[in-house]
Amino acid sequence: MTAAADLYRALVLDHGKHPRNLGRLAAATHAADGDNPLCGDVVRVEAEVVGDGVVALRFSGESCVLATASASLMTERVVGMRTGEVARAIAAIEARCAGSEARGAGSEARGGGGEARGGGGEARGGGGEARGGGGAPAGGTLPKLDDVLQAFADVHRHRVRIACATLPWRTLGRALGD
Amino acid sequence: MEHHANIVPWQMLCRARGAVLRVAPVDDRGVLDRDAFADLVGPRTRIVALAHVSNALGTLNPVAELAALAHAHGAVVLVDGAQAVAHVPVDVAALGCDFYACSGHKLYGPTGIGVLYGRAALLDAMPPWQGGGEMVRSVTWDEVTYEAAPQRFEAGTPPIAAAVGLGAAIAYLEDHDPAARMGHEADLLAYAAEALARVPGLRMIGTAPAKIGGHSFILAGVHAHDVATVLDGEGIAVRAGHHCAQPILRRFGVAATVRASFGLYNTRDDVDRLIAGLGAVRALFAP
């Protein structure tokens, strides 16, 4: 594995093979369907938003490992965020995947904020149970935004795959924009 | 089993002219249903357009037989030969087609150029589709006289460099004995079919007895693009996706396949490498 190793990092493979928060959300307040016409990937994102906070997020569909892992990581990372923060996270992921690093410094600042909110996500418990001993490199804690950004750091080298990694996030953006 | 390039222009024509597009089905191997085809063609059929070889399945169509049937009803026959020209010698008279189209980049030549053969009597009867330089004999403010076909269909300065490149590519192909080329590729195709059949979880999409060019397949539990990315890392170039042939992939219940195509430069070693690469794919994505 040479060129593929940078794309299929441990965190991506873990979430791609053992996706978290896969399924439908009965209490969804926001939802959207997304697809990549080129490869046939489809993903549905369902979110429960209370006030301006995302309290639950699930995804379903048929997609490649990259899109599945990206969706899984997204569901873990985004729960507990406010919708404004989600919008910034989506922009950061899209920029990272596209290889436009102008926002690099800003993403760290947001990563710090993400860490603080990560506690809130863990407190929910449900996400932790769903993990089912996946053995994430993060050691059982929910991924920070920087972990997610790092996981997709080399996607920009594989131009046809950028749309795979960003599909769930773009779909979430449309769901929350409803 | 058509490429979008042999679907979309007809849909546009149908919308513009009120024509009706009718589609001949294929069986589970990807072989055209000749009885259904015969039932579809009638006195109101104006054009029969079909692929010489399917780019998504590799099926080689019995063009001469289908063209004869279409001609019996007075239809004009256009053949999309993009996937065929690099693999089989093409004799438009023997095929009995009225038009034959192919692309430069599918026969080891440049992009942006191709060949459209048309029967002289039809070309002579057709008006120009585009106006400009080169395609006229004389122009006044009131009158224009067109060149004879085919010049009248080639308005403007042609892509000269691409045409020279295309000529070189055709010369390269013609330097190789057609029978030897076909024999070599048939051997690779059979060798690869046997080896792929032994890969666990692999399903071949397109199993027609007469196949040309390559194999299309899916791997259980692994998306086609993930297969292609890992193979790419191993130095193996395959095409993943819907191959601009969404309707036929839908017919087989898949959104995307991996396609390994063979040319005259490929060897059995390349097939062995592909099989080893698929082993790496399965290892990486094993649950």
Side-chain angles (χ1 to χ4, degrees):
Chain A
M1 233 56 53
T2 49
D6 56 14
L7 203 56
Y8 301 111
R9 294 168 183 229
L11 188 62
V12 170
L13 281 177
D14 176 32
H15 278 258
K17 293 178 188 180
H18 311 286
R20 334 290 205 254
N21 302 310
L22 182 64
R24 308 294 293 267
L25 195 62
T29 55
H30 295 66
D33 294 295
D35 71 333
N36 278 336
L38 264 180
C39 58
D41 279 353
V42 291
V43 65
R44 178 171 179 79
V45 171
E46 296 179 332
E48 182 185 356
V49 179
V50 175
D52 66 345
V54 180
V55 299
L57 190 60
R58 282 180 177 263
F59 78 101
S60 52
E62 289 277 331
S63 56
C64 63
V65 164
L66 267 190
T68 303
S70 183
S72 174
L73 285 161
M74 178 182 81
T75 58
E76 290 208 321
R77 177 54 271 157
V78 163
V79 168
M81 280 187 171
R82 296 182 185 285
T83 51
E85 294 164 335
V86 175
R88 286 193 293 276
I90 293 170
I93 290 281
E94 290 200 297
R96 181 62 62 96
C97 290
S100 51
E101 295 294 346
R103 292 192 178 89
S107 82
E108 261 178 52
R110 281 194 296 279
E115 193 175 359
R117 282 186 297 280
E122 279 175 67
R124 291 173 42 80
E129 281 170 53
R131 298 170 62 81
T141 61
L142 294 177
K144 301 172 191 171
L145 185 58
D146 271 0
D147 297 335
V148 180
L149 290 171
Q150 192 55 32
F152 297 111
D154 286 313
V155 168
H156 68 94
R157 296 183 208 281
H158 304 259
R159 296 206 65 82
V160 296
R161 307 306 302 276
I162 293 172
C164 307
T166 57
L167 174 65
W169 297 82
R170 284 183 281 122
T171 308
L172 174 63
R174 285 198 294 104
L176 297 183
D178 286 350
Chain B
M1 68 179 85
E2 301 303 323
H3 187 284
H4 294 169
N6 202 21
I7 300 173
V8 178
W10 304 120
Q11 292 174 329
M12 293 165 75
L13 185 73
C14 286
R15 263 159 220 157
R17 303 293 293 270
V20 177
L21 186 65
R22 306 174 83 186
V23 182
V26 302
D27 67 17
D28 289 342
R29 299 168 300 167
V31 175
L32 191 79
D33 182 334
R34 292 180 207 194
D35 292 339
F37 177 86
D39 287 344
L40 282 170
V41 180
R44 293 174 60 81
T45 306
R46 297 296 182 88
I47 298 171
V48 169
L50 74 158
H52 195 174
V53 172
S54 158
N55 76 308
L57 307 174
T59 306
L60 174 67
N61 277 319
V63 170
E65 180 195 322
L66 300 173
L69 201 153
H71 282 148
H73 291 282
V76 166
V77 176
L78 179 142
V79 177
D80 168 10
Q83 322 299 324
V85 280
H87 305 286
V88 291
V90 173
D91 178 343
V92 288
L95 290 173
C97 59
D98 301 298
F99 294 95
Y100 192 97
C102 60
S103 330
H105 65 279
K106 291 289 181 185
L107 52 90
Y108 315 131
T111 54
I113 191 166
V115 174
L116 174 64
Y117 156 81
R119 209 149 50 74
L122 287 169
L123 291 180
D124 287 342
M126 287 162 55
W129 68 283
Q130 188 179 42
E134 295 278 334
M135 47 81 74
V136 287
R137 233 173 235 149
S138 90
V139 178
T140 69
W141 286 121
D142 304 313
E143 295 271 345
V144 54
T145 320
Y146 300 125
E147 279 286 1
Q151 282 77 17
R152 76 161 76 147
F153 302 112
E154 298 183 7
T157 303
I160 297 163
V164 171
L166 179 59
I170 293 171
Y172 168 76
L173 271 175
E174 287 184 338
D175 278 347
H176 296 78
D177 173 52
R181 278 199 282 131
M182 289 183 70
H184 174 69
E185 291 188 26
D187 171 72
L188 282 180
L189 212 60
Y191 182 72
E194 261 181 48
L196 288 169
R198 288 195 295 271
V199 175
L202 187 141
R203 175 187 162 203
M204 194 83 91
I205 306 294
T207 52
K211 272 180 79 170
I212 292 281
H215 294 304
S216 210
F217 59 86
I218 57 171
L219 209 52
V222 190
H223 192 281
H225 272 149
D226 291 320
V227 175
T229 299
V230 176
L231 290 178
D232 178 42
E234 304 276 319
I236 301 158
V238 295
R239 166 82 191 268
H242 56 50
H243 313 292
C244 296
Q246 285 177 315
I248 193 64
L249 288 202
R250 226 169 270 135
R251 159 68 178 79
F252 284 88
V254 296
T257 73
V258 181
R259 187 188 64 199
S261 308
F262 304 108
L264 59 88
Y265 45 77
N266 285 119
T267 63
R268 283 189 171 208
D269 282 349
D270 293 334
V271 177
D272 294 342
R273 255 177 245 142
L274 168 66
I275 301 300
L278 290 173
V281 170
R282 296 182 64 246
L284 184 66
F285 296 121

